[in-house]
Amino acid sequence: MQYGITFVLISCCFLSYTFASRGNEQSIFLQCVDHCNQTQCPAQLPLPLTLLFWSCKENCQYNCMQTITDKALEHGEQVFQYFGKWPFYRWMGIQEPASVLFSIGNGWVHYHYYHILKKKIPSNYYLKNAMLVYALFGMNAWIWSTVFHARDTAITEKLDYFSAGLLILYSLYYALRRLFYIQHPPWWMTLVFVSCYGIHVGYLSLIRFDYGYNMLASVVVGLIQLSLWVGWSIQQYTVDDKRRSFAYMALISVVGVALAMSLELLDFPPLLRILDAHSLWHLSTIPLMAIWYQFVLKDTTHEMKYHKSTVTTTLPIPK
């Protein structure tokens, strides 16, 4: 939900992920793929690979990558990334099984709490629909994260990035509404957010898929949102005379997610060719997201109890 502590931190994560792909430039790799492609392709691939749209050449790349990595580990040599990814063992055609599993876990948290929010939040609470939309955007983001980590293609990559961007931007929208008690957002506020997202996706889709720009945009939005929640949380224990003892949950969640992202600074070859820093980041956000939803539930109860006139809306009368 919340992304980033500093631009430098995230930039370092991004740069390490982007430029550490020397493996696919090695002559031994290129020669292996070329030989495999000439001697084994075309070929009928196993059903799981066919269902996930693996080509014979891509299968050659995978097999060559694993063979070279085997030899590197055997001789204590450096393990390289290939096409921006570590040499993971695939399972049933899935490229990054651990990241897929943890993405599903994150998606389940949003799904689980969507139904809890729908049941427990009063219908006249001004943020109920906003909360439900947030949970839906969360499910959408992690569904496409699952798909992307299962099979990295140009399309699945864009869908993953665009869905994550939508969740980040909407998180800021929600933060502004909650922290400044905006019951009915003015048209221009909604227009600003919709336009920003439309321009963002349009630029990346029609002009240039710029990784640096995409990361910068996410960091800027994430930092604004992070600052808002951290400031509000600290205020509850310092100057606010109507303190919320549960505010620490918001602080843990937003700062925890930001810190979890720093795991990518520790980028390392995957343990057992399964677990890497990126997958551990996805694992750590599962409990942090659950803490966030628990905070939302407690916060709603508190607001309805002590600020009901401020946070309730008039429900339409059924005809």
Side-chain angles (χ1 to χ4, degrees), residues 122-303:
S123 297
N124 62 334
Y125 183 61
Y126 80 114
L127 283 178
K128 179 171 184 176
N129 289 334
M131 292 177 185
L132 295 178
V133 170
Y134 174 81
L136 289 172
F137 283 166
M139 284 185 268
N140 175 70
W142 287 108
I143 285 172
W144 289 115
S145 174
T146 301
V147 173
F148 171 65
H149 288 301
R151 188 71 176 93
D152 181 358
T153 67
I155 295 177
T156 60
E157 180 182 49
K158 286 182 172 64
L159 289 170
D160 176 44
Y161 277 51
F162 296 163
S163 298
L166 178 60
L167 180 60
I168 294 170
L169 191 61
Y170 188 81
S171 296
L172 176 58
Y173 177 81
Y174 174 86
L176 292 173
R177 289 197 61 189
R178 164 60 188 88
L179 298 180
F180 296 100
Y181 291 102
I182 303 175
Q183 284 199 27
H184 305 288
W187 65 268
W188 57 263
M189 178 180 175
T190 303
L191 180 62
V192 167
F193 278 87
V194 172
S195 298
C196 286
Y197 184 71
I199 293 171
H200 177 72
V201 171
Y203 173 76
L204 293 175
S205 301
L206 303 176
I207 299 177
R208 180 188 175 196
F209 195 77
D210 188 329
Y211 292 93
Y213 156 73
N214 180 73
M215 182 59 65
L216 175 60
S218 298
V219 169
V220 169
V221 175
L223 281 174
I224 295 172
Q225 181 189 186
L226 177 68
S227 300
L228 289 172
W229 282 112
V230 169
W232 178 85
S233 299
I234 293 174
Q235 183 184 31
Q236 303 309 309
Y237 298 101
T238 54
V239 299
D240 199 322
D241 59 352
K242 296 179 181 178
R243 298 177 183 179
R244 297 160 179 81
S245 60
F246 52 84
Y248 73 92
M249 300 175 73
L251 189 64
I252 289 174
S253 180
V254 298
V255 175
V257 170
L259 291 175
M261 198 171 184
S262 68
L263 280 169
E264 296 212 358
L265 281 175
L266 308 175
D267 200 20
F268 53 83
L271 303 173
L272 304 177
R273 289 189 233 183
I274 298 174
L275 288 172
D276 71 328
H278 188 79
S279 63
L280 292 176
W281 165 35
H282 286 340
L283 174 62
S284 63
T285 55
I286 296 175
L288 291 170
M289 202 70 257
I291 292 174
W292 169 256
Y293 278 114
Q294 286 296 316
F295 159 74
V296 167
L297 290 168
K298 289 182 178 294
D299 184 57
T300 302
T301 300
H302 180 278
E303 292 299 301

Side-chain angles (χ1 to χ4, degrees), residues 43-69:
Q44 181 63 44
L45 299 178
L47 182 60
L49 301 186
T50 301
L51 292 176
L52 288 178
F53 304 104
W54 285 83
S55 67
C56 186
K57 181 179 180 180
E58 289 171 328
N59 194 49
C60 284
Q61 292 173 345
Y62 172 81
N63 290 326
C64 289
M65 173 184 70
Q66 295 297 343
T67 300
I68 294 171
T69 302

Side-chain angles (χ1 to χ4, degrees), residues 57-88:
K57 181 179 180 180
E58 289 171 328
N59 194 49
C60 284
Q61 292 173 345
Y62 172 81
N63 290 326
C64 289
M65 173 184 70
Q66 295 297 343
T67 300
I68 294 171
T69 302
D70 287 339
K71 293 181 179 179
L73 292 173
E74 182 180 347
H75 295 92
E77 298 174 351
Q78 183 178 358
V79 174
F80 293 103
Q81 289 188 344
Y82 295 80
F83 303 104
K85 293 183 179 292
W86 289 111
F88 298 100

Side-chain angles (χ1 to χ4, degrees), residues 100-120:
V100 166
L101 177 63
F102 301 147
S103 293
I104 293 172
N106 278 282
W108 181 86
V109 172
H110 288 282
Y111 172 81
H112 175 69
Y113 279 99
Y114 172 83
H115 294 284
I116 292 179
L117 294 175
K118 193 172 183 179
K119 180 179 180 180
K120 291 190 175 183

